[in-house]
Amino acid sequence: SSDLGVTCKQLGMVQNNASEGLANFKKLALAIKQSKTILCDNIYYLEALTVQNINKSINLIAINNNAKFFVAGDNLFKLVRGCEKISIKGIDFESTGIFTILFTATDIFTILKIDINNCEYLGNISLFRWQAPITVNPEMIPWGIKEFNFIDNKIINTRYSFIVLSNVPFKSY
């Protein structure tokens, strides 16, 4: 791996092979849990049978124009306390399943920054869903999203709500 991060190939992920989706997803989730920056270097299939709790920041970066994840499974990652930043840059995502949610959250915690740039999303896919309890006052218990940047992305034929933030406070300036 380089100082910039570790490639999917270096993680042992197998490119262009749908039958490797479960194994690829496990390797990707483990690298995220180890706080690694993942450099997507080709086309990889990801399939989740069980959602992975993530309490680390997520950093996924394309290093060429071939960077793509074909995703299947209901929910891939559940964000929990400790996940402070999400950065996804230049990676295309396509749902091969009935419906996939990449990131979901229900807990009360703070995400400092979400940066999603230059990605393409195709098919029955939802990027982010956070359904929070209406009973928690963010003035008493600080939580929510401080900064959310969604820049130069394409969303094609998703047929579902792409970003859902229900009762989630943003920092006011």
Side-chain angles (χ1 to χ4, degrees), residues 25 29 32-33 48 50-58 74-84 86 100-109 111 127-132:
F25 179 70
I32 290 171
K33 290 177 179 183
T50 57
V51 66
Q52 292 290 312
N53 288 342
I54 300 296
N55 65 351
K56 304 288 185 187
S57 292
I58 297 168
D74 294 334
N75 295 311
L76 296 189
F77 300 107
K78 180 179 180 187
L79 307 179
V80 296
R81 186 176 306 278
C83 179
E84 295 182 343
I86 301 171
T100 299
I101 300 172
L102 294 180
F103 304 104
T104 185
T106 55
D107 295 344
I108 304 302
F109 65 101
I111 295 178
L127 173 66
F128 188 66
R129 291 176 177 242
W130 195 348
Q131 175 107 21

Side-chain angles (χ1 to χ4, degrees), residues 14-32:
V14 178
Q15 64 189 28
N16 285 316
N17 188 333
S19 67
E20 292 291 328
L22 288 170
N24 283 347
F25 179 70
K26 287 178 184 176
K27 291 170 185 171
L28 179 67
L30 179 61
I32 290 171

Side-chain angles (χ1 to χ4, degrees), residues 60-81:
L60 304 172
I61 302 170
I63 58 171
N64 59 39
N65 291 332
N66 296 328
K68 183 170 188 170
F69 289 130
F70 284 100
V71 295
D74 294 334
N75 295 311
L76 296 189
F77 300 107
K78 180 179 180 187
L79 307 179
V80 296
R81 186 176 306 278

Side-chain angles (χ1 to χ4, degrees), residues 6-21:
V6 61
T7 65
C8 293
K9 183 177 181 178
Q10 289 169 327
L11 291 174
M13 294 172 64
V14 178
Q15 64 189 28
N16 285 316
N17 188 333
S19 67
E20 292 291 328

